[in-house]
Amino acid sequence: MNTEARYDAFRELARLRGRPGELLVESLAKTRGTTGDSPGAWAPEVAARAGLPAASGLGPASYYADLAAPHGRRHVRVCTATACFIAKGGRHVGEVEGALGVTADQVSADGSVSLQAVRCLGYCYAGPAALDGDAPCTGAGLATQLTGRQPRHDPPIPAADTTGDPVLLAGIIAGEAPWRVWPRAVTGATPDEVHAEVAASGLRGRGGAGFPVAAKWAAAGRRPGTVVIANGDEGDPGSFADRLLMEQDPDRVLEGLALACFACGADEGVVLVRSEYPRALERMREAVARAYADGHLGTGVHGSLVSLEVRVVAGAGSYIAGEETALIAGLEGDRGCARARPPYPTDHGLWQAPTVVNNVETLAALPWILARGGAAYARRGVPEQTGTKLVSLSERFGRPGVYEVEFGASLRWITSDLGGGLRDGAALAVLQVGGPLGGFLAPEALDVSLTDHGLAGRGAALGHAGLVAVDERVEPLEVLRHVWEFAEAESCGACSPCRVGSRRGYDLVRGQNPPGQEYGRLLDLMAEASLCAFGRRVPPSVRSLARAYGTRLAGWDQ
């Protein structure tokens, strides 16, 4: 297998000029906030100031949603993701457009206000939602809140533990202080010992792929220059667990990152937080500052020979940029497109250095594992998938919020007993699991365990474990169109099967009648030939939706 690094002209130019790309997206974002002009008018100048050619600025500025969308003096982002779409059948977007006097993804003639449609703000428990600047507004009266006729509604994320001994909610629910494990580990343990406990725990990544964490760490090989990235780009519409952790227990996330860096022999950590989470971004930056002040980060941590530098970076609006190779591209200042593998990031990642990317929830589990032992963690959950998981329940449930459950819990128990069924006596039509590309289940198919294997047997994927209830008020074909619209809008465009296929799929589904064999061939091609999991997951997702609706979407299950 070829794992040699490929020559990349952008990377080489950036290396020669001191890696200015690391600050390029941030510089572009600052300029974007001051102008309503298209990127062609200002991005080349930003690139030139960084010593880069015009294309280096135009590429990301025309790719990332936050940079490509025009900005007025007042910029509003309205959520169009699944939970907010289901909350009012998508009508909230038109209501907001009418209230502000501007259409989505446009700026008013006088430049006073702009409106950007985004695909998750992490308020799935209280949607529909919008960010007015960085100020949240949520609920049925969204449009009146934005016009000032009603106070802004910004409810906290409801959270509950069902296990009796929370791992991920240890600080939020049980009041367990952070930074208790790290000082002991860095002064009294070895990287091998930390790695061994995590291996014994059976911990798998919580970002969707479910790859064994210890195996990923081992692949990096503790080579010089290794970097560990905390992936806080929680893009799966329907999930808000990472937002909860970063906002309410950021120190635990950082402690987990520090432990991962120690085990991997890394002296650099990066925290990537999506721009749609401004409060999480602020809290993580505050936590990093505290960690330096308290001696948890920096040179000679706690009197040891270990040095660790950590920085926090904001995303710029892209679903696919949560995929690890696309995330790395974005951190280098490039378009956040998926890259072919091999080579894998653990061999050639950020600026060609060995790079480990772990999800925020994955890292937040490490302090518990190191405090109580990997064997104790492995006894939780089920043998094929150990430990606990944060599950997000959407606004349609009677008791929405984040619940910590053990793997193997019944999906019916989670939705009925924890979630309280649907609010207002509504009937469940289908359940979205793991985001639009995770899959859909019919009400009679919920007697399935919360595991990758159990859900795969029903044609779904766990993803971030966001559960979005779709009730009978929304027409099945509208839900199918919504999924294809998401796929078309968020495809990074790096490969033709996904770029062209998602656009063609969206065009086909906007018709009233199933297109027959052409549709089936399109799905087969995307599933087999797409570069990354995004394109490969679209076909099983839309097929699962057709199966879940049965005769109501007859012909769309090709």
Side-chain angles (χ1 to χ4, degrees), residues 310-331:
V310 173
R311 58 192 172 97
V312 180
V313 179
S318 168
Y319 173 85
I320 198 63
E323 190 273 339
E324 60 180 16
T325 63
L327 182 152
I328 289 168
L331 288 175

Side-chain angles (χ1 to χ4, degrees), residues 49-62:
R49 290 200 300 266
L52 294 169
S56 296
L58 281 169
S62 60

